[in-house]
Amino acid sequence: MRRVRLTACLALLVGISNVPANDSDASKFISYCEHELYGTKNYEEAGKICKRVKQDVKALVGMSPLFLRSAVNEADAKWALGNYPEAFNLYAEAVEVAIKLGDVNKVRELRIRQADAAMFRGKSFEAEILLRDAIARVQSTAGSSALQEADLLSRHAEVLVTLGQTKAAMQGYLAAFAKLDVISATDRPILLKTQLGYAELFERQSRYAGAMATYQRLLKLAQSSPVSVEYTIIAYERMGWISETLGKPQEALVFYKHQLEVSEKDPTRSDATIELRRKIQRLEG
């Protein structure tokens, strides 16, 4: 039955040239594509439908926000299937549409997706160029969001770390911090992510004193309202590991016990909690 319904819809799309060219018709076809992609999550069929929808939406409304939306849907379908090379190329096409439409926010969003696809392909160098381009576009746009710029700076710093450009990455994280408001709930997710990346950079360089101080700041942020269980656990775990590495088992034990207290309250972390108890038992003796 499902196959019949999909076939019937595709047949309707084939005859779309007889449909009046207007936004309402284009929106209906896009909605069907999005239902398959985000609703039923049948990504294989969604990919086929979204590809045809993109072609026909362009025929209906030309270069428009609706066409951009359909182009992004097709790229998202490839991403969902794990086809990152094709998703990368489709996001690149969507970026060109967004540039022509003057949609700076969409360019930023799509550059991020394109960079993520590049990273999954092991193309850190390409990802760095894409994010640098997105940063330049945001910085050159009057009235652009400081939060958006901070997010891009933080992501760019992560990529620089993978390229071994630690000094530039450090500067990138500091530039991101300068754009963020510590007490803003809106800024909080990016602030936590940036703080973690900054701490990991210290740790990566075996600069454990700096890493420990930065994880302490991360912990303080994570425990402020609203509490972030995820980042609280990460901070305790990494501080415990650093303490062990520095030959301070009793200090590590304190951090791991705090981590256990938090972890035990989350039933989805049962496997990790069991492993953590074993680690504590080992340190106790």
Side-chain angles (χ1 to χ4, degrees), residues 70-146:
S70 67
V72 173
N73 286 339
E74 184 188 9
D76 285 348
K78 294 300 181 183
W79 176 274
L81 286 168
N83 188 341
Y84 302 118
E86 195 162 348
F88 178 90
N89 292 331
L90 290 170
Y91 284 133
E93 292 177 13
V95 166
E96 293 305 313
V97 176
I99 290 173
K100 290 177 181 178
L101 294 174
D103 191 337
V104 177
N105 287 332
K106 205 64 179 179
V107 171
R108 176 192 60 82
E109 176 189 325
L110 292 171
R111 281 298 192 215
I112 290 173
R113 296 193 200 182
Q114 200 180 357
D116 287 343
M119 291 297 289
F120 273 105
R121 294 165 59 221
K123 305 289 186 179
S124 299
F125 183 73
E126 286 184 15
E128 189 276 328
I129 294 173
L130 291 165
L131 289 172
R132 183 152 36 90
D133 174 74
I135 291 169
R137 289 179 184 277
V138 169
Q139 290 176 337
S140 65
T141 303
S144 60
S145 165

Side-chain angles (χ1 to χ4, degrees), residues 85 178 214 223:
T214 311
Q223 291 181 325

Side-chain angles (χ1 to χ4, degrees), residues 2-50:
R2 176 176 174 75
R3 174 65 60 180
V4 171
R5 183 170 63 84
L6 289 173
T7 304
C9 180
L10 290 172
L12 177 61
L13 290 175
V14 170
I16 200 170
S17 59
N18 296 322
V19 178
N22 56 56
D23 288 357
S24 176
D25 292 317
S27 295
K28 290 176 183 177
F29 289 112
I30 291 173
S31 294
Y32 185 78
C33 159
E34 291 175 347
H35 172 71
E36 293 299 314
L37 180 58
Y38 306 116
T40 62
K41 297 183 179 179
N42 185 338
Y43 300 128
E44 195 71 44
E45 290 294 344
K48 297 174 185 176
I49 293 172
C50 292

